[in-house]
Structure formats: C-alpha cells, structure tokens
Amino acid sequence: MRRLSPALPPLLGAVAGYLADTRYGDPRRGHPVALFGSAAGRLERAVWRDHRAVGAAYTAACVGGVAAAAVLAERALGRSPAGRAALTAAATWTVLGGTSLTREARTIGGSLRAGDLTAARDRLPHLCGRDPSALDGPQLARAVVESVAENTADAVVNALTWGALAGTPGLLAFRAVNTLDAMVGHRSARYRRFGWASARLDDVAGWPGARLTALLTVTASPEPARAWRIWRRDGSAHPSPNAGQAESAFAGALGVRLGGTLHYGERVEHRPVLGAELRPVTADDIERACVLSRRVGTLALVATVAARTAWTLTRRPRTTP
C-alpha cells in the first residue's frame, strides 16, 4: 500500500479547522487565545519596566513559548497522520476568527438598520478599540467596515499564510504576536517603550498576509479595476504598514470612502482618506463587507493550501527507475 504523504494531514487539518470556524465560530468558553492573553497579562504585570529591552524579552518569551509548545506537540505525535491532522485542525480553528468577526459586524449592522444607535455603540467595543460615544450612524458603519477589512487580514488571511509558511507553530506564533500587539503594542504612556517590540514584530508578521488580503480582495471584488486602483494609490497612505493595504482594497471593492478622523478614548488620530472620491459608508455596506470578507477568506484557504501543496511537491525527492 502506498504510504500517505506526510504533507497531507496538515493540509486536511487546515481545511477542517477553517470549516470548523465557518460552522461554529470561536469557542464560547476556555478559548486558548483568551487563556494565552491571561497568562501574558500576568507575566507583564510581573516583569514590566519602562524599557524596550525588557519588553523585547517579554515578547520573545511569550511568542517563543507558544512556538516551542507547538513544536513539542508535533514531535510528540510523531508520524501519526490522524494526530497531526487533528493538531492542525485544532490550531487553525483556535487561530481563525472570521466567523466571529462577521457575526459581530452583522449584529451592529442590524442595530444601525433598526435605528438603534445606543445598541450599536454598546456593541462596537466588541469589534474594535474606538470610542463610540460620539459616533453617529455613518461613522459607526465606517468603523465596522474598516474593522472587518483589517481583521480579515489579521484574523483570517495572515493566520492561514503563516500556517502555510511554518505549519502549526507558525499559526500559533502569529496569533500570539497579534494578541500581544493588541495588549501592549499601542502608544500609551505605559507601553510606548515596553510594547515597542510587540508592535514592530506584529508589523513584520502581518506584512505578507496584508498584501495577500489586498490581492484577494481585488480578485473577489465586483469592481476589480477600481479595487486595484484605490489599493495601489492609497494603500501606503495609512500610518500602519499593513492595515491600509486591506482597508484601501476594501474601499475600492465596495465603492466607499474609508479613513479620516478616529477617536480612541482621549487620543485622536487624523488618518488619510482612502478612496476620497467614493461615497460615504452606510449601514447596508456592513453586510456587503461581511460577504466580501468571507469570499476573501475562502480564496485565502485555497491559495495557501495550493501553495503549500506545490512547495511540498517541488521538495519531494525524485525516484530513479
């Protein structure tokens, strides 16, 4: 009997994990990412110093610990195809967040369409870190669409990309990096130096998936020429080296204007406008953004599985007759 290719179980696991996220969303209780966040928070409180080197060591310990645990788990499973497939499936389901992302976005969109601004404002912090207190309907809709675009890259495409590049350790390490950036990577007085390494590492880790997200958004767009034009013109105008790629492509694909002034508590950011000539966002665009996000996620799964398969085939040793 022909032996099963060692590359097949991880590929099957990636597909199974994606389907599990599509069907069930994030686990309701005991989510591994939440458990990691709790452990990282306790470690931060124990070691925090207002110093870049300490923050870099903290980042290395958290991310390195997750990657090492994944490597050990793979080695423990040895050559078991079922075990390796199950490990990859569980890791993929843990890391992906596409279904929960669109679920939250649609909840806010439903409140906006019903005219319930209070409910929409109350729900927005579940999706992003902006201050919703002074946002009107169009501003809330814009915040949701921008969050869907950015998190399609972070919570779906980048995760699948790192899974294709580095297997289960890559999947879990990327989610650790992304989680640390959300925890300590912002520019508050406490984290400006301590969180510097986490923020920079997140920029590096997010680079490939952000560009792939933009390309796949153009592919999935009903107006690919417009999506391409807005992405190539405005993608680098964003202060983030990665967020602007997805957001500008989404702006062109949906035909809406994104960017501008944002409020994060007491901090105000004046970002460049993406797709300045396009129309403002409405509540109906939230559903369109969610549909686009799901299409991009499906294309990302196909692209990363195909790339991993092609890479495996090119490395397969040739047999002599």
Side-chain angles (χ1 to χ4, degrees):
M1 182 181 293
R2 190 174 182 180
R3 194 164 67 90
L4 186 67
S5 169
L8 186 58
L11 294 175
L12 294 176
V15 174
Y18 184 89
L19 293 176
D21 176 70
T22 300
R23 175 64 179 85
Y24 301 108
D26 289 333
R28 296 290 185 180
R29 296 180 180 178
H31 197 301
V33 174
L35 297 177
F36 167 79
S38 297
R42 288 194 296 271
L43 180 61
E44 181 229 321
R45 290 189 291 274
V47 305
W48 181 89
R49 300 291 185 278
D50 191 18
H51 197 282
R52 281 187 177 184
V54 176
Y58 164 79
T59 301
C62 292
V63 177
V66 168
V71 170
L72 291 174
E74 285 190 330
R75 289 182 178 177
L77 291 169
R79 296 179 178 273
S80 168
R84 293 173 63 218
L87 177 64
T88 304
T92 303
W93 182 23
T94 294
V95 167
L96 293 181
T99 296
S100 295
L101 169 67
T102 55
R103 185 180 293 155
E104 289 291 345
R106 283 170 168 145
T107 297
I108 299 172
S111 296
L112 289 176
R113 288 192 297 275
D116 191 346
L117 292 183
T118 299
R121 290 181 182 127
D122 288 344
R123 200 68 190 176
L124 186 66
H126 290 80
L127 195 62
C128 63
R130 300 182 197 179
D131 180 6
S133 59
L135 299 183
D136 60 17
Q139 290 170 329
L140 286 165
R142 192 192 90 197
V144 172
V145 171
E146 289 172 355
S147 295
V148 169
E150 182 176 357
N151 286 297
T152 297
D154 280 344
V156 183
V157 181
N158 254 312
L160 292 171
T161 298
W162 280 103
L165 291 172
T168 299
L171 269 170
L172 297 178
F174 171 75
R175 178 52 62 212
V177 169
N178 198 241
T179 302
L180 288 180
D181 179 61
M183 292 174 61
V184 305
H186 38 90
R187 297 179 179 178
S188 65
R190 178 178 175 87
Y191 297 124
R192 186 171 290 109
R193 283 182 282 271
F194 182 84
W196 176 85
S198 292
R200 297 293 76 78
L201 184 58
D202 185 68
D203 288 343
V204 173
W207 196 96
R211 276 80 190 160
L212 180 58
T213 300
L215 282 171
L216 296 179
T217 301
V218 171
T219 303
S221 170
E223 297 284 347
R226 184 180 63 200
W228 173 270
R229 175 172 55 84
I230 300 299
W231 169 42
R232 301 307 299 157
R233 188 192 70 193
D234 296 344
S236 298
H238 197 283
S240 165
N242 297 322
Q245 306 297 317
E247 288 185 24
S248 59
F250 263 67
L254 298 172
V256 298
R257 184 167 63 246
L258 301 177
T261 302
L262 306 177
H263 295 268
Y264 294 91
E266 297 180 354
R267 180 166 58 91
V268 179
E269 290 187 12
H270 300 284
R271 295 181 180 176
V273 175
L274 310 175
E277 71 274 26
L278 303 177
R279 64 173 176 81
V281 182
T282 67
D284 290 337
D285 293 315
I286 293 175
E287 177 59 27
R288 297 176 61 229
C290 290
V291 171
L292 180 60
S293 175
R294 301 306 289 178
R295 289 175 180 169
V296 170
T298 301
L299 288 174
L301 177 68
V302 172
T304 52
V305 168
R308 184 72 177 183
T309 302
W311 170 250
T312 301
L313 291 176
T314 61
R315 296 178 67 234
R316 178 179 295 175
R318 296 181 180 179
T319 57
T320 56

